[in-house]
Amino acid sequence: MILVLKPKSPEDKIAAMISRIEDMGLRVERTTGVEYSILALVGDTSRVEKSALSTDEIVHKVIHVQEPFKRANRLFKPDDTVIRVGEHEIGNGEFAVMAGPCSVESEEQILETARCVKECGAQFLRGGAYKPRTSPYSFQGLGEPGLDLLLLAKRETGLLIVTEIMSTENIDRFERDVDIIQVGARNMQNFSLLKELGKTRKPILLKRGISATIEEWLMSAEYIMSEGNSNVILCERGIRTYEDYTRNTLDISAVPMAKRLSHLPVIVDPSHAAGLWWMVEPLAKASIVVGADGIMVEVHPNPDKALSDGPQSLKLEKFRSLMNEVEVLARTQGKQLRPKRKEKMPWA
Ligand code: PEP
Ligand code: MN
């Protein structure tokens, strides 16, 4: 339930209203807009009488929120959420590019990839150290030494690190060393992991589950946000359908839908959606045009020898040409690869 307050409502009356609602066992989140202030009621509002609130002198209107996601709901926060990571801002017109290998394999591999990714204009280096593989016999990732290699690449290039967490056991290390913590499709409904991540203040990249509806995906965001962490980035990475020419089916309509339902930024991973390197470019372009705030792309110096996801990984020179296209197309949507704030005045 949302209370839209009348413009210029006195502060003491607003405070009284908040404590009245809290006495009903609900939590209140206040957003102060230019014109209207909003009080969002979180908790079981089924027994709250709408009429008891709508007749209050400071209430302009009461909106009943039908969706089960509240904090993630655009009704609760009409403005886009902007996630600050280092000098970058995701969701604020800066088009975020997260690129790198599926798995961190060696120092040489990650450094060569990171140098290229940086030079081409991406802001983030992705790379898995803990890998959620379908088979227990496949390469499971380097673990801790993989994280050390990502940090080495960060020190050399300045790229910020995005990497996947699989277990609550690793939260302390990730909180200390990782810039954006990725929750993979297979863990989208690992609710105990989501709740623990909600206790941090780290940006969380939440991938859509393999067969998850948009509502289930937003409910997973709600789990993180309900613990106090509102730094959630949604990532559409394809869903399972009956089509099997591609690894998954990129649900391109999920981007405008998620952005309409929620204020959270949305990025697209065309690599896991397609499973085919040659389809990454057209899908990345489509993502930009439907309003994505960024993309996540797998890149490998030698995809034929990759320990995971080689067939969908771009060679370095292909990534370079993709980035040229991305830069041009993002500009047509009013987005750019560089942080807005970095555009310094000549005298600054
Ligand atoms: C990955 O990013 O390497 C990955 C495993 O992605 P997803 O969780 O989307 O399958
Ligand atoms: Mn992968």
Side-chain angles (χ1 to χ4, degrees):
M1 194 177 274
I2 287 173
L3 306 187
V4 182
L5 305 183
K6 288 183 184 154
K8 304 198 179 72
S9 294
E11 276 305 316
D12 58 332
K13 297 231 161 93
I14 299 178
M17 173 61 93
I18 292 176
S19 50
R20 195 175 140 201
I21 298 165
E22 284 173 345
D23 288 346
M24 299 177 196
L26 299 168
R27 274 182 291 173
V28 182
E29 272 168 34
R30 180 175 172 182
T31 309
T32 310
V34 186
E35 203 115 346
Y36 290 96
S37 284
I38 289 175
L39 299 184
L41 280 54
V42 189
D44 180 9
T45 54
S46 59
R47 273 168 304 163
V48 178
E49 282 218 34
K50 193 174 165 183
S51 56
L53 297 172
S54 59
T55 51
D56 193 283
E57 58 176 317
I58 61 165
V59 175
H60 170 62
K61 68 176 164 184
V62 180
I63 304 171
H64 187 69
V65 180
Q66 266 157 9
E67 293 85 13
F69 46 94
K70 309 292 177 192
R71 289 179 165 90
N73 203 309
R74 199 177 269 285
L75 287 173
F76 270 49
K77 181 175 178 286
D79 298 335
D80 288 342
T81 284
V82 175
I83 310 232
R84 295 192 174 81
V85 202
E87 61 173 359
H88 300 285
E89 289 184 336
I90 301 176
N92 193 23
E94 179 183 350
F95 192 76
V97 179
M98 306 174 184
C102 179
S103 305
V104 179
E105 298 169 2
S106 66
E107 180 172 330
E108 198 185 9
Q109 173 240 24
I110 198 67
L111 288 181
E112 187 181 354
T113 313
R115 284 178 198 128
C116 164
V117 159
K118 169 77 182 184
E119 202 191 298
C120 296
Q123 307 95 322
F124 302 90
L125 177 67
R126 65 143 288 147
Y130 296 91
K131 294 304 302 177
R133 304 305 300 280
T134 304
S135 165
Y137 309 118
S138 303
F139 176 59
Q140 303 285 306
L142 295 178
E144 291 258 349
L147 293 179
D148 296 338
L149 291 176
L150 286 168
L151 288 184
L152 185 70
K154 176 178 177 173
R155 272 198 297 278
E156 194 189 302
T157 60
L159 286 166
L160 298 170
I161 301 301
V162 188
T163 191
E164 178 167 352
I165 193 161
M166 299 247 293
S167 159
T168 51
E169 274 170 32
N170 298 326
I171 286 191
D172 289 346
R173 173 91 206 262
F174 273 64
E175 213 179 339
R176 192 173 66 238
D177 290 338
V178 171
D179 299 296
I180 299 181
I181 304 178
Q182 176 174 329
V183 174
R186 289 157 193 81
N187 271 312
M188 189 205 80
Q189 287 189 316
N190 182 339
F191 299 120
S192 45
L193 178 62
L194 300 179
K195 281 200 225 170
E196 287 305 311
L197 291 170
K199 291 177 189 151
T200 75
R201 290 297 172 267
K202 279 275 163 179
I204 310 295
L205 181 91
L206 179 65
K207 287 200 156 191
R208 182 175 177 186
I210 293 169
S211 302
T213 63
I214 294 173
E215 190 163 293
E216 286 164 343
W217 186 25
L218 293 174
M219 287 310 288
S220 291
E222 191 77 14
Y223 260 95
I224 299 168
M225 297 172 86
S226 69
E227 295 293 331
N229 186 359
S230 49
N231 297 313
V232 179
I233 304 155
L234 299 167
C235 178
E236 161 61 39
R237 45 77 74 203
I239 49 173
R240 181 163 290 177
T241 66
Y242 52 80
E243 181 52 66
D244 60 3
Y245 273 115
T246 47
R247 183 176 180 185
N248 292 287
T249 299
L250 180 62
D251 183 5
I252 202 80
S253 59
V255 178
M257 183 60 85
K259 288 190 74 77
R260 186 184 176 89
L261 293 169
S262 175
H263 49 84
L264 297 172
V266 182
I267 72 158
V268 171
D269 170 352
S271 308
H272 289 87
L276 302 161
W277 67 266
W278 55 267
M279 209 182 270
V280 169
E281 183 181 312
L283 296 185
K285 286 176 172 171
S287 309
I288 298 170
V289 176
V290 292
D293 297 293
I295 48 172
M296 171 176 264
V297 176
E298 285 187 342
V299 182
H300 196 286
N302 188 354
D304 291 341
K305 294 267 158 53
L307 297 181
S308 59
D309 288 349
Q312 68 195 34
S313 300
L314 295 182
K315 289 184 179 161
L316 305 184
E317 63 269 21
K318 284 277 179 242
F319 179 68
R320 193 180 299 279
S321 64
L322 171 69
M323 286 300 279
N324 291 333
E325 305 252 7
V326 165
E327 181 146 34
V328 174
L329 205 50
R331 222 177 294 136
T332 67
Q333 304 302 307
K335 297 195 173 105
Q336 58 190 26
L337 288 168
R338 267 162 287 283
K340 276 189 176 166
R341 284 177 299 157
K342 229 186 163 183
E343 284 166 8
K344 281 199 178 152
M345 295 300 148
W347 56 85

